[in-house]
Amino acid sequence: MAGDGSANLSDLQGFSTLIRRAQQCLNESAQLDEALQVLQSLIQIHIAIDSLVLLDDQSDWGVRLNCATALNEMHTDAHLSVAESLQVGRLVYLQYQACPTLRHPLTGRAMASCLIVPVAPAEQQDRKLLCILRTSESREFPPHALSFFQILADFLATKITFMNLNAHIESEVEQRTNLLRREISERQHAENLQRTLFEIAELSTQRIDADNLYSSLHRILRRLFVVENFMIARFHQDTSEISIEYFVDQVDGVPEKRRFPLGVGMTSFVFRSRQAQLIDQARLKQLIEEGEIAQVVGSADMVSWMGAPMMLQEQIVGVVIVQSYDETLMYSYEELFLLSFVANHMATALGRLDADTALFHAQQDLQIQNQALHEKSVEQQSLITKLQEAHEQLIQSEKMASVGQLAAGVAHEINNPIGFVNANMGALGQYIDTLFEVIQQYEGLFDQVPSTPLLLSEFHQIQSNAELSFVKDDVRSLLSESLDGLRRVKEIVQSLKDFSRVGETVWVEADIHQGIDSTLNIVKNELKNKATIIKKYTPMPALKCNISQLNQVFMNMLVNAGHAITGKGTITIETGEGQGMVWIKISDTGAGIPPEHLSKIFEPFFTTKPIGSGTGLGLSLSYGIVKKHRGNITVSSEPGQGTCFTILLPRDPNLAEPA
């Protein structure tokens, strides 16, 4: 064990370190007992002590230390006794000489000395005392040790205050939580009761069959109270019979006989009395003695039984019965009242059910006739729809044919002037070369003929005014640009002719790539500012097809791809062949198609474009054209990523038929 600690605590740094470690120990400990054990181990390293004990001031701590005789002895120069010193908050050091009976309060072991430090001010009722016990050391603690224990007592007082405050807060929180739980439980019970009663009342307005009505009533009643054994009986006034409509019982099985005359059992007693009845074994015995009930149908081991009549316009139409075989479950008059409430609303629902049943049989024949009429109407509507679709597709096809004829006519009319302009531009180029050659020869002759300075000056002035050297260079550039423009116009005209193919109603061997390129030239103006065209063509022989119709498909795909792109995007065209099929893929980086629309995009008149921006027939016509080629067209799309259309066409021309 360490000495008095002077070697360890003599310097300020060591003293401060011990205080910080003690405070950290108290902050990290959740319980005081745990904190005292850690503090005891910590202090023993620096100060010679055996135990660290915390005692209640209000408890008989003098008895627990076995030093009650020393309480009234004088302790200080201020003429205060031991008890008075502790009362005013002063430290007290008890030695073996003053209190030879000093014992450890927990183990009863004899102690040589005990330093008692009040932990809280005297005015606090829950003040505690910190006892530092030693078995062999009788010298008093040095001043720095006393200062440490005083600081430690202050730390403990703060810790105790904090723990008491936490305990008080937790107690308040627990009380308020329990109160809130009770309020919530009561509110939920009230809401549940209100909802249950509403559902019961609502049953009378619903048109459901009897089995669902009875099972719904059973389910609703279970929300109000325990209903394990439940029966609904109907009364038939014309035959004075009772029929069991719904039966659930833990002991008895479903009766084989479901309809019997009104008798003298408990159910019949409710019918006769026309009042709700609450019956236990004592009440049953009394009713039997009075002759109201002669026998019990089914098990007689019931503990509590309730029956309520179902009244409709002062006429009894049935009885609702609930019973218990459990001695811990006894029904009350409050539950009997709820059962009566249910029974009255049940009667209304049964009346409505009977009326609906009669109406159902009356309407059955009419529904059969209406069904036949409806089927004819649906068939007619289907024919009308198909006719309308065919009409719209025909109109669209005629429009495309007219556009093709117009394009072919325009191409033909433009082709002639383009031809002679192109020829004239060639002749003009030769004439200009001849003129420049003549001018060059004139310049050479001028240099050989003697001339006056005035004539030479005028010659150079004419050359300067005419900018002859610039004209020589620029005129050739102008001719080259004009010829390039004529070449581009010629390509556009040829694309128009290739795209239209007016008059080609038979299938011919055609170059798919040429058809795609001619279509690209047609829609080039619409796509040039929106998309970059990437071509990935696979060389392949000509395909027997109706190329003008396929060009229309390509145009629809490309235009739709351009419309789907916002800003600047990419349109990729891929071709290939395999397994007797030719495929064309046209994909874009546009907005994509929502999944819920993918199955509808080939339907006539379906479009995701704003009103007035599309007819909804482009993809439908494309689908029809591909199908006429005995091919197939599919689409894959992911919103935000783009769309890809894949066209499959058979290589063998015998598999395709002309449109």
Side-chain angles (χ1 to χ4, degrees):
M1 184 178 297
D4 61 3
S6 59
N8 297 322
L9 300 179
S10 58
D11 61 292
L12 181 60
Q13 183 177 0
F15 187 72
S16 299
T17 301
L18 181 59
I19 291 175
R20 286 197 302 272
R21 293 186 63 188
Q23 187 177 25
Q24 182 181 2
C25 169
L26 286 172
N27 290 337
E28 294 176 352
S29 300
Q31 303 292 334
L32 280 178
D33 293 341
E34 176 188 346
L36 289 174
Q37 290 179 2
V38 179
L39 285 172
Q40 178 176 305
S41 301
L42 176 64
I43 295 171
Q44 285 175 343
I45 299 175
H46 303 281
I47 305 173
I49 69 169
D50 286 280
S51 298
L52 199 66
V53 181
L54 196 63
L55 299 178
D56 291 335
D57 188 18
Q58 292 181 347
S59 67
D60 192 2
W61 55 270
V63 175
R64 296 192 63 185
L65 291 173
N66 204 27
C67 61
T69 56
L71 294 179
N72 295 324
E73 293 183 1
M74 299 299 293
H75 178 67
T76 64
D77 295 337
H79 304 289
L80 296 176
S81 65
V82 172
E84 291 171 339
S85 296
L86 293 175
Q87 187 67 24
V88 297
R90 295 189 178 185
L91 281 69
V92 172
Y93 185 68
L94 296 178
Q95 294 178 305
Y96 177 79
Q97 293 81 358
C99 187
T101 60
L102 186 64
R103 293 287 186 273
H104 195 288
L106 301 179
T107 65
R109 185 181 178 186
M111 294 286 111
S113 62
C114 176
L115 177 64
I116 305 175
V117 185
V119 173
E123 59 270 13
Q124 290 193 6
Q125 296 181 356
D126 58 347
R127 187 175 64 170
K128 296 182 180 296
L129 300 177
L130 177 63
C131 300
I132 300 95
L133 299 161
R134 296 191 292 185
T135 57
S136 59
E137 183 64 48
S138 60
R139 290 180 301 166
E140 293 188 3
F141 290 98
H144 53 262
L146 295 177
S147 299
F148 169 73
F149 288 129
Q150 187 64 61
I151 294 173
L152 182 60
D154 292 339
F155 288 165
L156 282 170
T158 303
K159 180 70 173 180
I160 292 171
T161 301
F162 180 74
M163 291 180 65
N164 290 340
L165 180 59
N166 279 348
H168 177 72
I169 292 174
E170 290 177 359
S171 176
E172 288 290 331
V173 170
E174 185 176 1
Q175 291 178 5
R176 291 182 179 272
T177 301
N178 292 335
L179 179 60
L180 183 59
R181 285 175 180 169
R182 287 196 299 270
E183 291 178 354
I184 292 175
S185 178
E186 292 174 357
R187 188 184 308 116
Q188 287 178 344
H189 177 72
E191 291 176 354
N192 186 43
L193 178 60
Q194 183 178 7
R195 183 174 65 255
T196 300
L197 296 179
F198 174 76
E199 290 182 7
I200 293 171
E202 191 178 25
L203 282 176
S204 62
T205 64
Q206 295 180 355
R207 294 184 176 179
I208 58 178
D209 57 63
D211 290 338
N212 286 330
L213 183 63
Y214 300 144
S215 60
S216 297
L217 178 63
H218 191 188
R219 173 181 53 81
I220 292 172
L221 278 178
R222 278 180 169 172
R223 193 179 300 147
L224 295 178
F225 50 86
V226 179
V227 185
E228 298 297 337
N229 307 285
F230 183 68
M231 185 180 80
I232 294 177
R234 293 291 304 272
F235 177 64
H236 305 276
Q237 191 171 6
D238 54 343
T239 60
S240 296
E241 289 181 321
I242 299 174
S243 63
I244 298 176
E245 304 293 330
Y246 186 85
F247 186 89
V248 176
D249 196 275
Q250 295 174 310
V251 177
D252 291 333
V254 179
E256 295 182 2
K257 185 178 180 182
R258 303 295 292 268
R259 188 163 180 155
F260 47 87
L262 183 64
V264 288
M266 290 190 292
T267 303
S268 298
F269 176 60
V270 175
F271 276 106
R272 293 195 307 272
S273 65
R274 301 168 63 90
Q275 293 181 354
Q277 300 292 337
L278 177 60
I279 301 175
D280 55 14
Q281 286 292 339
R283 174 67 172 159
L284 176 60
K285 182 179 179 181
Q286 178 185 356
L287 291 173
I288 292 176
E289 291 175 352
E290 294 175 355
E292 296 290 348
I293 298 175
Q295 60 181 3
V296 176
V297 180
S299 176
D301 296 332
M302 64 84 187
V303 175
S304 184
W305 186 96
M306 291 191 299
M310 294 186 290
M311 305 295 296
L312 180 62
Q313 297 179 355
E314 298 184 357
Q315 296 292 328
I316 184 169
V317 296
V319 173
V320 180
I321 297 170
V322 176
Q323 65 179 352
S324 167
Y325 297 102
D326 188 355
E327 294 182 355
T328 62
L329 177 59
M330 299 293 293
Y331 293 117
S332 64
Y333 282 99
E334 180 182 356
E335 291 164 333
L336 182 64
F337 171 79
L338 290 175
L339 187 63
S340 299
F341 181 84
V342 171
N344 289 332
H345 284 79
M346 184 61 184
T348 303
L350 288 176
R352 180 67 175 271
L353 179 63
D354 293 340
D356 287 347
T357 302
L359 182 61
F360 171 77
H361 290 299
Q363 292 177 342
Q364 207 166 22
D365 293 338
L366 181 61
Q367 287 182 348
I368 295 174
Q369 296 175 5
N370 288 340
Q371 181 65 26
L373 182 62
H374 175 71
E375 291 175 357
K376 291 182 179 180
S377 176
V378 170
E379 184 179 356
Q380 290 178 355
Q381 185 63 38
S382 176
L383 293 175
I384 292 173
T385 302
K386 291 181 180 179
L387 181 61
Q388 184 179 5
E389 292 176 2
H391 178 68
E392 293 291 341
Q393 290 183 358
L394 180 61
I395 292 176
Q396 187 72 7
S397 298
E398 291 296 331
K399 287 182 179 179
M400 292 302 299
S402 299
V403 170
Q405 291 177 347
L406 178 62
V410 170
H412 178 74
E413 294 299 327
I414 293 177
N415 204 34
N416 290 332
I418 287 297
F420 64 72
V421 169
N422 193 37
N424 291 344
M425 289 297 293
L428 179 61
Q430 294 177 358
Y431 295 160
I432 290 175
D433 290 340
T434 301
L435 286 175
F436 283 143
E437 184 177 352
V438 170
I439 291 173
Q440 186 176 5
Q441 292 176 0
Y442 275 129
E443 289 177 346
L445 293 174
F446 184 81
D447 292 337
Q448 296 176 6
V449 176
S451 59
T452 65
L454 179 60
L455 181 62
L456 184 62
S457 175
E458 289 181 357
F459 176 76
H460 288 303
Q461 184 65 35
I462 291 172
Q463 284 185 324
S464 176
N465 292 339
E467 297 182 354
L468 193 59
S469 60
F470 170 76
V471 170
K472 287 180 180 180
D473 295 333
D474 192 50
V475 73
R476 289 186 175 87
S477 177
L478 292 175
L479 283 173
S480 177
E481 291 176 358
S482 299
L483 290 172
D484 183 64
L486 287 172
R487 178 186 57 79
R488 291 174 63 184
V489 172
K490 188 175 181 181
E491 288 178 356
I492 293 173
V493 170
Q494 185 61 40
S495 295
L496 283 172
K497 293 175 67 179
D498 293 340
F499 179 79
S500 61
R501 299 279 185 175
V502 175
E504 290 189 1
T505 58
V506 296
W507 290 34
V508 296
E509 298 285 342
D511 186 352
I512 290 293
H513 297 156
Q514 182 180 355
I516 296 174
D517 290 339
S518 65
T519 305
L520 282 172
N521 283 330
I522 297 300
V523 299
K524 183 177 182 180
N525 186 61
E526 185 168 352
L527 299 180
K528 64 181 180 180
N529 295 325
K530 299 197 68 176
T532 300
I533 307 298
I534 300 176
K535 300 178 184 179
K536 297 181 180 179
Y537 292 166
T538 299
M540 63 180 69
L543 176 70
K544 190 170 184 179
C545 60
N546 190 324
I547 190 62
S548 64
Q549 290 185 349
L550 291 183
N551 286 345
Q552 182 179 348
V553 174
F554 301 148
M555 184 177 69
N556 289 336
M557 300 291 107
L558 292 169
V559 171
N560 285 347
H563 290 169
I565 295 174
T566 302
K568 188 72 174 179
T570 301
I571 298 176
T572 304
I573 306 172
E574 301 178 69
T575 63
E577 62 175 334
Q579 298 181 353
M581 302 292 288
V582 172
W583 54 265
I584 304 100
K585 288 185 178 180
I586 301 176
S587 57
D588 62 69
T589 58
I593 302 173
E596 62 270 17
H597 292 164
L598 280 178
S599 61
K600 303 177 182 178
I601 60 172
F602 294 119
E603 295 179 2
F605 313 113
F606 178 80
T607 179
T608 58
K609 298 177 182 179
I611 297 176
S613 300
T615 63
L617 288 173
L619 292 178
S620 176
L621 289 173
S622 300
Y623 183 84
I625 291 172
V626 173
K627 285 297 181 182
K628 289 177 182 178
H629 282 73
R630 293 290 179 88
N632 191 25
I633 179 171
T634 59
V635 59
S636 61
S637 181
E638 186 175 347
Q641 301 298 321
T643 303
C644 177
F645 285 91
T646 302
I647 302 170
L648 286 173
L649 299 172
R651 165 63 63 193
D652 188 350
N654 294 325
L655 297 178
E657 296 179 357

